[in-house]
Amino acid sequence: MNDGLSTSRHEKRAPEDMTMEEKGGEEGQVSHAPEEGAAVSDYFAFTEIFKRVLSTADHELEASNLYLFWSALGAGGALGLTFLARVIFTESAGEMEPGIVGNILYPIGFLIIVLGRYQLFTENTLTPVVLVLTRLASLANLLRLWVVVFVGNMVGAILVAAAIAYSNVLTPERTLKAMEMSHHAVETPWLEIFYRGIIAGSIVAAMVWLVHAVRDSIGRAMVIYVLMYFIGVGSFFHVITSSIEAFYAAFSDPEVSFWALWPSFVAPVLLGNTIGGIVFVAVLNYAQFAEHKDGKMLERYGDKLGVRAWLFGNGKVHD
């Protein structure tokens, strides 16, 4: 009894009002605590991320050429915003070349592409490498995907570079800055372009993997922003965004040959990006794949393709 009122034995009491005996007899113990428990993970395990990557790879390899081309064309055009943002912010900040401020909106084109699910050569086209490396999809189909997406991206890049060069969207001061930036890019030595392209390709591949590891759109946007901002600040070369700069120089300066840019600039960036992305996929994803190659995760793909089917097989990833 307490002040004439009875207290129910089931009445809830605050922990600070409970006696040691009620807490369980020892400090730090609570009576009636469950003997077993389970923690709900708030992030994906490797196998879950891998499944999501494989699902994206399926979609890429089974898409029609027409869909791939138009989606890639849009992606190439979207990266024109990245070029414009670099020019505008670099000139406004008074930087000699794009730096901390000048690259602040470098990721804008990538945000549009990744969140909008457009086709970008160094982004979506790397996920199918996992299936090809494990001989669950054909090399011929992967090459088809690469060629169609790359052509679409480059057509979009050429069109947007021409539109910026032949219009008055930039002020005279910003036009001058754009010329300085584009000339700096095309005058970079071949091997330096290639090595910077390798780093950029690996960063993009890491971004693709992490995007599949994130549950919400805000988290994905943060991953895209941070990693793509690093490409800009680090002056690494991405084959589409950097080609827009190079093509702008060709359209703005008669002394810069449009056709000469392909072997001297586009080729080293393309090779570097491709190698960097494939190495990342092979080292991280394919190495981890060995842990799960006999599990249920890949049952729907059936047996590995024979050598002939792997090299020259049709567009089907699975039955």
Side-chain angles (χ1 to χ4, degrees), residues 161-200:
I164 296 172
Y166 295 136
S167 65
N168 294 320
V169 296
L170 295 174
T171 63
E173 295 79 11
R174 290 170 179 171
T175 298
L176 179 61
K177 179 59 63 176
M179 288 292 294
E180 292 175 358
M181 290 168 50
S182 59
H183 275 277
H184 177 73
V186 299
E187 292 169 2
T188 304
W190 200 97
L191 278 178
E192 186 175 339
I193 295 172
F194 173 70
Y195 291 138
R196 291 187 187 185
I198 291 177
I199 296 175

mmCIF file of all heavy atoms in Angstrom, residues 161-200:
data_model
loop_
_atom_site.group_PDB
_atom_site.id
_atom_site.type_symbol
_atom_site.label_atom_id
_atom_site.label_comp_id
_atom_site.label_asym_id
_atom_site.label_seq_id
_atom_site.Cartn_x
_atom_site.Cartn_y
_atom_site.Cartn_z
ATOM 1 N N ALA A 161 28.045 20.187 -77.850
ATOM 2 C CA ALA A 161 29.235 21.030 -77.982
ATOM 3 C C ALA A 161 29.047 22.048 -79.107
ATOM 4 O O ALA A 161 29.426 23.227 -78.961
ATOM 5 C CB ALA A 161 30.455 20.158 -78.255
ATOM 6 N N ALA A 162 28.466 21.599 -80.210
ATOM 7 C CA ALA A 162 28.204 22.513 -81.325
ATOM 8 C C ALA A 162 27.184 23.579 -80.938
ATOM 9 O O ALA A 162 27.332 24.762 -81.289
ATOM 10 C CB ALA A 162 27.715 21.719 -82.536
ATOM 11 N N ALA A 163 26.153 23.168 -80.210
ATOM 12 C CA ALA A 163 25.123 24.121 -79.792
ATOM 13 C C ALA A 163 25.710 25.208 -78.897
ATOM 14 O O ALA A 163 25.376 26.391 -79.037
ATOM 15 C CB ALA A 163 24.004 23.380 -79.064
ATOM 16 N N ILE A 164 26.599 24.818 -77.979
ATOM 17 C CA ILE A 164 27.215 25.805 -77.082
ATOM 18 C C ILE A 164 28.158 26.717 -77.857
ATOM 19 O O ILE A 164 28.191 27.940 -77.647
ATOM 20 C CB ILE A 164 27.963 25.099 -75.940
ATOM 21 C CG1 ILE A 164 26.977 24.305 -75.066
ATOM 22 C CG2 ILE A 164 28.727 26.110 -75.084
ATOM 23 C CD1 ILE A 164 27.646 23.412 -74.035
ATOM 24 N N ALA A 165 28.924 26.146 -78.786
ATOM 25 C CA ALA A 165 29.915 26.925 -79.536
ATOM 26 C C ALA A 165 29.270 27.921 -80.495
ATOM 27 O O ALA A 165 29.772 29.044 -80.664
ATOM 28 C CB ALA A 165 30.830 25.971 -80.298
ATOM 29 N N TYR A 166 28.164 27.521 -81.130
ATOM 30 C CA TYR A 166 27.570 28.352 -82.175
ATOM 31 C C TYR A 166 26.425 29.228 -81.673
ATOM 32 O O TYR A 166 25.783 29.921 -82.462
ATOM 33 C CB TYR A 166 27.071 27.476 -83.320
ATOM 34 C CG TYR A 166 28.188 26.752 -84.048
ATOM 35 C CD1 TYR A 166 28.057 25.410 -84.392
ATOM 36 C CD2 TYR A 166 29.375 27.411 -84.366
ATOM 37 C CE1 TYR A 166 29.090 24.739 -85.054
ATOM 38 C CE2 TYR A 166 30.400 26.755 -85.026
ATOM 39 C CZ TYR A 166 30.253 25.417 -85.362
ATOM 40 O OH TYR A 166 31.274 24.763 -86.017
ATOM 41 N N SER A 167 26.165 29.213 -80.391
ATOM 42 C CA SER A 167 25.107 30.054 -79.827
ATOM 43 C C SER A 167 25.732 31.108 -78.917
ATOM 44 O O SER A 167 26.940 31.161 -78.723
ATOM 45 C CB SER A 167 24.116 29.203 -79.029
ATOM 46 O OG SER A 167 24.742 28.637 -77.893
ATOM 47 N N ASN A 168 24.892 31.933 -78.351
ATOM 48 C CA ASN A 168 25.370 33.000 -77.463
ATOM 49 C C ASN A 168 24.985 32.719 -76.011
ATOM 50 O O ASN A 168 24.667 33.651 -75.256
ATOM 51 C CB ASN A 168 24.785 34.342 -77.902
ATOM 52 C CG ASN A 168 25.292 34.767 -79.265
ATOM 53 O OD1 ASN A 168 26.469 34.594 -79.581
ATOM 54 N ND2 ASN A 168 24.399 35.331 -80.083
ATOM 55 N N VAL A 169 25.027 31.461 -75.614
ATOM 56 C CA VAL A 169 24.619 31.126 -74.247
ATOM 57 C C VAL A 169 25.669 31.551 -73.225
ATOM 58 O O VAL A 169 25.364 31.675 -72.033
ATOM 59 C CB VAL A 169 24.342 29.609 -74.112
ATOM 60 C CG1 VAL A 169 23.171 29.195 -74.985
ATOM 61 C CG2 VAL A 169 25.580 28.793 -74.468
ATOM 62 N N LEU A 170 26.896 31.772 -73.666
ATOM 63 C CA LEU A 170 27.961 32.185 -72.757
ATOM 64 C C LEU A 170 28.326 33.647 -73.002
ATOM 65 O O LEU A 170 28.340 34.114 -74.144
ATOM 66 C CB LEU A 170 29.203 31.315 -72.955
ATOM 67 C CG LEU A 170 29.080 29.835 -72.602
ATOM 68 C CD1 LEU A 170 30.346 29.085 -72.987
ATOM 69 C CD2 LEU A 170 28.789 29.650 -71.110
ATOM 70 N N THR A 171 28.612 34.362 -71.933
ATOM 71 C CA THR A 171 29.085 35.735 -72.061
ATOM 72 C C THR A 171 30.491 35.729 -72.662
ATOM 73 O O THR A 171 31.158 34.684 -72.684
ATOM 74 C CB THR A 171 29.138 36.418 -70.677
ATOM 75 O OG1 THR A 171 30.095 35.718 -69.855
ATOM 76 C CG2 THR A 171 27.771 36.384 -70.011
ATOM 77 N N PRO A 172 30.973 36.867 -73.178
ATOM 78 C CA PRO A 172 32.335 36.901 -73.743
ATOM 79 C C PRO A 172 33.400 36.412 -72.764
ATOM 80 O O PRO A 172 34.343 35.713 -73.159
ATOM 81 C CB PRO A 172 32.526 38.379 -74.095
ATOM 82 C CG PRO A 172 31.140 38.875 -74.350
ATOM 83 C CD PRO A 172 30.268 38.138 -73.388
ATOM 84 N N GLU A 173 33.263 36.772 -71.488
ATOM 85 C CA GLU A 173 34.235 36.337 -70.487
ATOM 86 C C GLU A 173 34.189 34.823 -70.311
ATOM 87 O O GLU A 173 35.241 34.167 -70.206
ATOM 88 C CB GLU A 173 33.961 37.020 -69.147
ATOM 89 C CG GLU A 173 34.137 38.520 -69.140
ATOM 90 C CD GLU A 173 32.950 39.272 -69.735
ATOM 91 O OE1 GLU A 173 31.902 38.636 -69.957
ATOM 92 O OE2 GLU A 173 33.078 40.482 -69.984
ATOM 93 N N ARG A 174 33.007 34.271 -70.289
ATOM 94 C CA ARG A 174 32.866 32.831 -70.114
ATOM 95 C C ARG A 174 33.239 32.071 -71.385
ATOM 96 O O ARG A 174 33.720 30.943 -71.312
ATOM 97 C CB ARG A 174 31.441 32.496 -69.665
ATOM 98 C CG ARG A 174 31.175 32.968 -68.230
ATOM 99 C CD ARG A 174 29.735 32.879 -67.810
ATOM 100 N NE ARG A 174 29.583 33.332 -66.429
ATOM 101 C CZ ARG A 174 28.406 33.537 -65.828
ATOM 102 N NH1 ARG A 174 27.267 33.341 -66.499
ATOM 103 N NH2 ARG A 174 28.374 33.934 -64.579
ATOM 104 N N THR A 175 33.023 32.680 -72.524
ATOM 105 C CA THR A 175 33.464 32.067 -73.776
ATOM 106 C C THR A 175 34.985 31.935 -73.787
ATOM 107 O O THR A 175 35.539 30.906 -74.197
ATOM 108 C CB THR A 175 33.005 32.901 -74.982
ATOM 109 O OG1 THR A 175 31.572 32.942 -75.010
ATOM 110 C CG2 THR A 175 33.506 32.297 -76.284
ATOM 111 N N LEU A 176 35.663 32.977 -73.328
ATOM 112 C CA LEU A 176 37.121 32.940 -73.243
ATOM 113 C C LEU A 176 37.575 31.848 -72.276
ATOM 114 O O LEU A 176 38.526 31.111 -72.558
ATOM 115 C CB LEU A 176 37.655 34.304 -72.803
ATOM 116 C CG LEU A 176 39.185 34.419 -72.642
ATOM 117 C CD1 LEU A 176 39.878 34.142 -73.971
ATOM 118 C CD2 LEU A 176 39.555 35.804 -72.100
ATOM 119 N N LYS A 177 36.893 31.743 -71.147
ATOM 120 C CA LYS A 177 37.248 30.703 -70.167
ATOM 121 C C LYS A 177 37.001 29.313 -70.751
ATOM 122 O O LYS A 177 37.809 28.388 -70.532
ATOM 123 C CB LYS A 177 36.437 30.904 -68.883
ATOM 124 C CG LYS A 177 36.708 29.871 -67.791
ATOM 125 C CD LYS A 177 38.175 29.869 -67.385
ATOM 126 C CE LYS A 177 38.609 31.184 -66.770
ATOM 127 N NZ LYS A 177 40.019 31.134 -66.292
ATOM 128 N N ALA A 178 35.908 29.141 -71.487
ATOM 129 C CA ALA A 178 35.620 27.855 -72.114
ATOM 130 C C ALA A 178 36.709 27.475 -73.103
ATOM 131 O O ALA A 178 37.119 26.312 -73.185
ATOM 132 C CB ALA A 178 34.255 27.903 -72.814
ATOM 133 N N MET A 179 37.195 28.452 -73.856
ATOM 134 C CA MET A 179 38.274 28.191 -74.807
ATOM 135 C C MET A 179 39.558 27.787 -74.083
ATOM 136 O O MET A 179 40.259 26.858 -74.496
ATOM 137 C CB MET A 179 38.526 29.440 -75.655
ATOM 138 C CG MET A 179 37.426 29.730 -76.673
ATOM 139 S SD MET A 179 37.391 28.465 -77.972
ATOM 140 C CE MET A 179 38.970 28.774 -78.765
ATOM 141 N N GLU A 180 39.868 28.463 -72.984
ATOM 142 C CA GLU A 180 41.060 28.126 -72.206
ATOM 143 C C GLU A 180 40.968 26.699 -71.675
ATOM 144 O O GLU A 180 41.941 25.928 -71.755
ATOM 145 C CB GLU A 180 41.224 29.111 -71.048
ATOM 146 C CG GLU A 180 41.563 30.529 -71.468
ATOM 147 C CD GLU A 180 41.597 31.474 -70.284
ATOM 148 O OE1 GLU A 180 41.319 31.016 -69.141
ATOM 149 O OE2 GLU A 180 41.901 32.668 -70.475
ATOM 150 N N MET A 181 39.818 26.342 -71.132
ATOM 151 C CA MET A 181 39.627 25.004 -70.579
ATOM 152 C C MET A 181 39.732 23.934 -71.657
ATOM 153 O O MET A 181 40.381 22.901 -71.469
ATOM 154 C CB MET A 181 38.264 24.919 -69.876
ATOM 155 C CG MET A 181 38.180 25.705 -68.590
ATOM 156 S SD MET A 181 36.467 25.863 -67.967
ATOM 157 C CE MET A 181 35.918 24.153 -68.025
ATOM 158 N N SER A 182 39.085 24.165 -72.790
ATOM 159 C CA SER A 182 39.067 23.156 -73.846
ATOM 160 C C SER A 182 40.449 22.985 -74.464
ATOM 161 O O SER A 182 40.866 21.859 -74.772
ATOM 162 C CB SER A 182 38.038 23.525 -74.916
ATOM 163 O OG SER A 182 38.335 24.786 -75.494
ATOM 164 N N HIS A 183 41.182 24.072 -74.636
ATOM 165 C CA HIS A 183 42.538 23.969 -75.182
ATOM 166 C C HIS A 183 43.467 23.243 -74.215
ATOM 167 O O HIS A 183 44.326 22.459 -74.637
ATOM 168 C CB HIS A 183 43.090 25.358 -75.508
ATOM 169 C CG HIS A 183 42.692 25.853 -76.857
ATOM 170 N ND1 HIS A 183 43.361 25.500 -78.014
ATOM 171 C CD2 HIS A 183 41.669 26.658 -77.254
ATOM 172 C CE1 HIS A 183 42.791 26.083 -79.061
ATOM 173 N NE2 HIS A 183 41.747 26.793 -78.623
ATOM 174 N N HIS A 184 43.298 23.506 -72.926
ATOM 175 C CA HIS A 184 44.107 22.811 -71.922
ATOM 176 C C HIS A 184 43.880 21.308 -72.000
ATOM 177 O O HIS A 184 44.823 20.516 -71.872
ATOM 178 C CB HIS A 184 43.760 23.321 -70.523
ATOM 179 C CG HIS A 184 44.480 22.606 -69.432
ATOM 180 N ND1 HIS A 184 45.819 22.780 -69.177
ATOM 181 C CD2 HIS A 184 44.034 21.681 -68.527
ATOM 182 C CE1 HIS A 184 46.187 22.019 -68.160
ATOM 183 N NE2 HIS A 184 45.128 21.340 -67.748
ATOM 184 N N ALA A 185 42.633 20.898 -72.247
ATOM 185 C CA ALA A 185 42.308 19.471 -72.327
ATOM 186 C C ALA A 185 42.953 18.829 -73.551
ATOM 187 O O ALA A 185 43.610 17.790 -73.450
ATOM 188 C CB ALA A 185 40.788 19.275 -72.369
ATOM 189 N N VAL A 186 42.783 19.445 -74.719
ATOM 190 C CA VAL A 186 43.276 18.818 -75.954
ATOM 191 C C VAL A 186 44.791 18.874 -76.069
ATOM 192 O O VAL A 186 45.386 18.111 -76.848
ATOM 193 C CB VAL A 186 42.628 19.467 -77.198
ATOM 194 C CG1 VAL A 186 41.123 19.295 -77.171
ATOM 195 C CG2 VAL A 186 42.995 20.946 -77.310
ATOM 196 N N GLU A 187 45.439 19.739 -75.318
ATOM 197 C CA GLU A 187 46.894 19.850 -75.368
ATOM 198 C C GLU A 187 47.589 18.944 -74.354
ATOM 199 O O GLU A 187 48.822 18.924 -74.280
ATOM 200 C CB GLU A 187 47.306 21.307 -75.144
ATOM 201 C CG GLU A 187 46.900 22.231 -76.296
ATOM 202 C CD GLU A 187 47.071 23.700 -75.963
ATOM 203 O OE1 GLU A 187 47.547 23.990 -74.827
ATOM 204 O OE2 GLU A 187 46.723 24.547 -76.812
ATOM 205 N N THR A 188 46.830 18.201 -73.589
ATOM 206 C CA THR A 188 47.401 17.270 -72.619
ATOM 207 C C THR A 188 48.044 16.095 -73.356
ATOM 208 O O THR A 188 47.470 15.578 -74.319
ATOM 209 C CB THR A 188 46.313 16.744 -71.662
ATOM 210 O OG1 THR A 188 45.665 17.859 -71.037
ATOM 211 C CG2 THR A 188 46.909 15.845 -70.590
ATOM 212 N N PRO A 189 49.225 15.648 -72.938
ATOM 213 C CA PRO A 189 49.886 14.517 -73.609
ATOM 214 C C PRO A 189 49.032 13.249 -73.585
ATOM 215 O O PRO A 189 48.262 13.015 -72.659
ATOM 216 C CB PRO A 189 51.173 14.334 -72.793
ATOM 217 C CG PRO A 189 51.431 15.672 -72.176
ATOM 218 C CD PRO A 189 50.079 16.252 -71.897
ATOM 219 N N TRP A 190 49.217 12.405 -74.610
ATOM 220 C CA TRP A 190 48.413 11.196 -74.814
ATOM 221 C C TRP A 190 48.436 10.276 -73.595
ATOM 222 O O TRP A 190 47.389 9.840 -73.112
ATOM 223 C CB TRP A 190 48.931 10.449 -76.043
ATOM 224 C CG TRP A 190 47.961 9.480 -76.661
ATOM 225 C CD1 TRP A 190 47.135 9.713 -77.728
ATOM 226 C CD2 TRP A 190 47.726 8.120 -76.273
ATOM 227 N NE1 TRP A 190 46.402 8.590 -78.026
ATOM 228 C CE2 TRP A 190 46.743 7.585 -77.150
ATOM 229 C CE3 TRP A 190 48.236 7.301 -75.276
ATOM 230 C CZ2 TRP A 190 46.264 6.282 -77.049
ATOM 231 C CZ3 TRP A 190 47.756 5.995 -75.162
ATOM 232 C CH2 TRP A 190 46.789 5.504 -76.049
ATOM 233 N N LEU A 191 49.627 9.973 -73.096
ATOM 234 C CA LEU A 191 49.743 9.045 -71.975
ATOM 235 C C LEU A 191 49.123 9.614 -70.703
ATOM 236 O O LEU A 191 48.528 8.874 -69.901
ATOM 237 C CB LEU A 191 51.202 8.679 -71.720
ATOM 238 C CG LEU A 191 51.795 7.586 -72.614
ATOM 239 C CD1 LEU A 191 53.266 7.363 -72.280
ATOM 240 C CD2 LEU A 191 51.014 6.280 -72.458
ATOM 241 N N GLU A 192 49.255 10.905 -70.511
ATOM 242 C CA GLU A 192 48.654 11.527 -69.334
ATOM 243 C C GLU A 192 47.136 11.436 -69.399
ATOM 244 O O GLU A 192 46.474 11.169 -68.388
ATOM 245 C CB GLU A 192 49.095 12.989 -69.226
ATOM 246 C CG GLU A 192 48.625 13.674 -67.954
ATOM 247 C CD GLU A 192 49.172 15.086 -67.821
ATOM 248 O OE1 GLU A 192 50.204 15.380 -68.471
ATOM 249 O OE2 GLU A 192 48.572 15.886 -67.084
ATOM 250 N N ILE A 193 46.597 11.650 -70.583
ATOM 251 C CA ILE A 193 45.146 11.492 -70.768
ATOM 252 C C ILE A 193 44.732 10.062 -70.447
ATOM 253 O O ILE A 193 43.731 9.818 -69.761
ATOM 254 C CB ILE A 193 44.750 11.851 -72.219
ATOM 255 C CG1 ILE A 193 45.017 13.323 -72.507
ATOM 256 C CG2 ILE A 193 43.280 11.525 -72.467
ATOM 257 C CD1 ILE A 193 44.825 13.709 -73.965
ATOM 258 N N PHE A 194 45.501 9.116 -70.946
ATOM 259 C CA PHE A 194 45.212 7.698 -70.740
ATOM 260 C C PHE A 194 45.220 7.333 -69.251
ATOM 261 O O PHE A 194 44.286 6.690 -68.755
ATOM 262 C CB PHE A 194 46.239 6.863 -71.498
ATOM 263 C CG PHE A 194 46.154 5.386 -71.233
ATOM 264 C CD1 PHE A 194 45.079 4.634 -71.703
ATOM 265 C CD2 PHE A 194 47.151 4.737 -70.514
ATOM 266 C CE1 PHE A 194 45.007 3.269 -71.458
ATOM 267 C CE2 PHE A 194 47.090 3.377 -70.273
ATOM 268 C CZ PHE A 194 46.014 2.641 -70.741
ATOM 269 N N TYR A 195 46.241 7.742 -68.531
ATOM 270 C CA TYR A 195 46.347 7.397 -67.112
ATOM 271 C C TYR A 195 45.239 8.067 -66.289
ATOM 272 O O TYR A 195 44.664 7.454 -65.379
ATOM 273 C CB TYR A 195 47.712 7.804 -66.570
ATOM 274 C CG TYR A 195 48.848 6.988 -67.121
ATOM 275 C CD1 TYR A 195 50.049 7.594 -67.502
ATOM 276 C CD2 TYR A 195 48.735 5.608 -67.280
ATOM 277 C CE1 TYR A 195 51.096 6.847 -68.026
ATOM 278 C CE2 TYR A 195 49.774 4.859 -67.807
ATOM 279 C CZ TYR A 195 50.952 5.477 -68.182
ATOM 280 O OH TYR A 195 51.982 4.730 -68.700
ATOM 281 N N ARG A 196 44.952 9.317 -66.607
ATOM 282 C CA ARG A 196 43.857 9.998 -65.900
ATOM 283 C C ARG A 196 42.523 9.343 -66.231
ATOM 284 O O ARG A 196 41.610 9.316 -65.405
ATOM 285 C CB ARG A 196 43.830 11.478 -66.277
ATOM 286 C CG ARG A 196 45.010 12.281 -65.747
ATOM 287 C CD ARG A 196 44.795 13.755 -66.016
ATOM 288 N NE ARG A 196 45.963 14.555 -65.674
ATOM 289 C CZ ARG A 196 45.998 15.875 -65.733
ATOM 290 N NH1 ARG A 196 44.918 16.543 -66.129
ATOM 291 N NH2 ARG A 196 47.094 16.539 -65.416
ATOM 292 N N GLY A 197 42.418 8.829 -67.447
ATOM 293 C CA GLY A 197 41.196 8.121 -67.841
ATOM 294 C C GLY A 197 41.005 6.830 -67.063
ATOM 295 O O GLY A 197 39.877 6.452 -66.730
ATOM 296 N N ILE A 198 42.092 6.127 -66.764
ATOM 297 C CA ILE A 198 42.007 4.898 -65.972
ATOM 298 C C ILE A 198 41.434 5.196 -64.590
ATOM 299 O O ILE A 198 40.536 4.494 -64.091
ATOM 300 C CB ILE A 198 43.392 4.232 -65.844
ATOM 301 C CG1 ILE A 198 43.841 3.671 -67.188
ATOM 302 C CG2 ILE A 198 43.359 3.116 -64.794
ATOM 303 C CD1 ILE A 198 45.226 3.057 -67.169
ATOM 304 N N ILE A 199 41.947 6.246 -63.954
ATOM 305 C CA ILE A 199 41.458 6.599 -62.618
ATOM 306 C C ILE A 199 39.983 6.975 -62.674
ATOM 307 O O ILE A 199 39.180 6.538 -61.837
ATOM 308 C CB ILE A 199 42.289 7.756 -62.040
ATOM 309 C CG1 ILE A 199 43.744 7.310 -61.846
ATOM 310 C CG2 ILE A 199 41.703 8.229 -60.713
ATOM 311 C CD1 ILE A 199 44.676 8.414 -61.403
ATOM 312 N N ALA A 200 39.606 7.765 -63.671
ATOM 313 C CA ALA A 200 38.198 8.165 -63.798
ATOM 314 C C ALA A 200 37.302 6.953 -64.020
ATOM 315 O O ALA A 200 36.212 6.866 -63.446
ATOM 316 C CB ALA A 200 38.038 9.156 -64.953
#
